[in-house]
Amino acid sequence: MKAPAALQALIDDGVIDEVMRPLKSGKEAAVYVVRGGGEVRCAKVYKDMAQRSFQQRVQYQEGRKVRGSREARAMGKATRYGRRQQEEAWKNTEVDALYKLRDAGVRVPEPHGFFHGVLVMEMVTDAEGFAAPRLGEYEPTQEQARAFHAVLVRQVVRMLCCGLIHGDLSPYNVLVDAEGPVLIDFPQVVSAAGNNAARQMLLRDVNNLTAYLGRWAPELLDTWYGEEMWALFEAGALQADTPLTGTFEHDERLADIGSVREAIEEARQEALIRQQGREAAEADHTYT
């Protein structure tokens, strides 16, 4: 296929050899299958801020570090320079997160570099070598659902130990390769210590996965892994291999448990609606 303009620069520089086909396209980015370094890889081309639909960016950006005071002031004033810096920071966030999480043993695609605003990374495949399906397209057995949930909870723990929260984790931001779940899509990653909404986002991430996998393993719906790991994190007692039980003692003097469950269900429904919107957007922009 003819290389999009954003990828032609990578071909000219010898970073990739050819663009094979589009893989998926949404309002935030388009992903292509490319060949480079003797391997089949993915190239993620970020779209301009005006084209993207991701909501509540300010909430997600709270607590992120900015390179210097000039950039911080410009971003705060929303000047033209500030908007460019904000755009670059948004792209760099995912790149930095991938390298950090990969080094920490989190199951994420291996990054191969960031060139001209394009992220080149590992192509995640299934056992037959085809593009791995998303968890939301996968129908696990009860045993697989339990195993996937255990793996995903451990990945969330490892992320939290790195000081990061995915922030938009759902069955559609998880791929299933030959060895199990792989987390993807990190431009909205949240600082666990620097964002006031960090706990809420962590619980939503865990609850989204639990709600989906609980369809096949209903006992998962009675677990409280998000609350448990956050309490350990706040106490400075959470480590990458800390055993979790899924149980949590709520302080009923401070919390209405019924309201907590209601809030969880609302978060799950909100995530479902948002994902349906993303799928519709991808369908509108899919290349043939």
Side-chain angles (χ1 to χ4, degrees), residues 173-206:
N173 284 331
V174 177
L175 299 178
V176 182
D177 72 2
E179 298 179 10
V182 179
L183 308 187
I184 61 171
D185 291 342
F186 294 92
Q188 69 294 319
V189 71
V190 171
S191 167
N195 192 302
N196 288 325
R199 177 181 178 275
Q200 173 191 343
M201 293 184 186
L202 174 75
L203 298 186
R204 185 175 64 195
D205 282 354
V206 176

Side-chain angles (χ1 to χ4, degrees), residues 13-87:
D13 288 351
V15 174
I16 61 175
D17 301 319
E18 64 172 321
V19 180
M20 300 172 67
R21 62 182 176 87
L23 182 60
K24 70 172 185 175
S25 180
K27 290 189 176 180
E28 277 73 49
V31 180
Y32 296 85
V33 180
V34 302
R35 190 182 303 278
E39 298 179 350
V40 175
R41 295 175 174 172
C42 285
K44 186 170 186 176
V45 180
Y46 297 95
K47 298 187 177 180
D48 292 337
M49 187 178 291
Q51 294 177 271
R52 299 201 305 266
S53 63
F54 198 79
Q55 302 298 312
Q56 298 175 310
R57 293 192 190 95
V58 173
Q59 184 183 37
Y60 285 83
Q61 291 165 354
E62 181 185 346
R64 291 183 181 177
K65 294 181 180 178
V66 179
R67 288 183 302 172
S69 58
R70 181 190 176 207
E71 287 82 0
R73 287 195 301 271
M75 289 167 67
K77 294 178 180 178
T79 63
R80 181 178 298 179
Y81 174 75
R83 288 194 296 271
R84 286 202 306 271
Q85 291 301 310
Q86 189 176 42
E87 184 76 359

Side-chain angles (χ1 to χ4, degrees), residues 199-227:
R199 177 181 178 275
Q200 173 191 343
M201 293 184 186
L202 174 75
L203 298 186
R204 185 175 64 195
D205 282 354
V206 176
N207 290 331
N208 286 343
L209 299 174
T210 299
Y212 182 75
L213 292 170
R215 299 179 190 176
W216 290 273
E219 69 275 12
L220 295 176
L221 299 175
D222 290 323
T223 60
W224 300 86
Y225 285 102
E227 289 83 353

Side-chain angles (χ1 to χ4, degrees), residues 162-177:
C162 292
L164 298 175
I165 295 168
H166 189 287
D168 193 34
L169 194 54
S170 78
Y172 294 91
N173 284 331
V174 177
L175 299 178
V176 182
D177 72 2

Side-chain angles (χ1 to χ4, degrees), residues 93-94 97-98 100-102 104-108 151-169 173-174 182-193 202 205 209 229-230 233 238-241:
T93 293
E94 177 163 32
L98 278 178
K100 184 174 185 178
L101 295 175
R102 184 83 179 185
V106 180
R107 298 207 74 216
V108 299
V151 169
L152 288 166
V153 165
R154 186 54 51 188
Q155 302 313 300
V156 174
V157 167
R158 288 178 177 168
M159 282 193 66
L160 191 53
C161 288
C162 292
L164 298 175
I165 295 168
H166 189 287
D168 193 34
L169 194 54
N173 284 331
V174 177
V182 179
L183 308 187
I184 61 171
D185 291 342
F186 294 92
Q188 69 294 319
V189 71
V190 171
S191 167
L202 174 75
D205 282 354
L209 299 174
M229 70 177 75
W230 182 260
F233 174 73
L238 185 67
Q239 297 182 6
D241 57 354

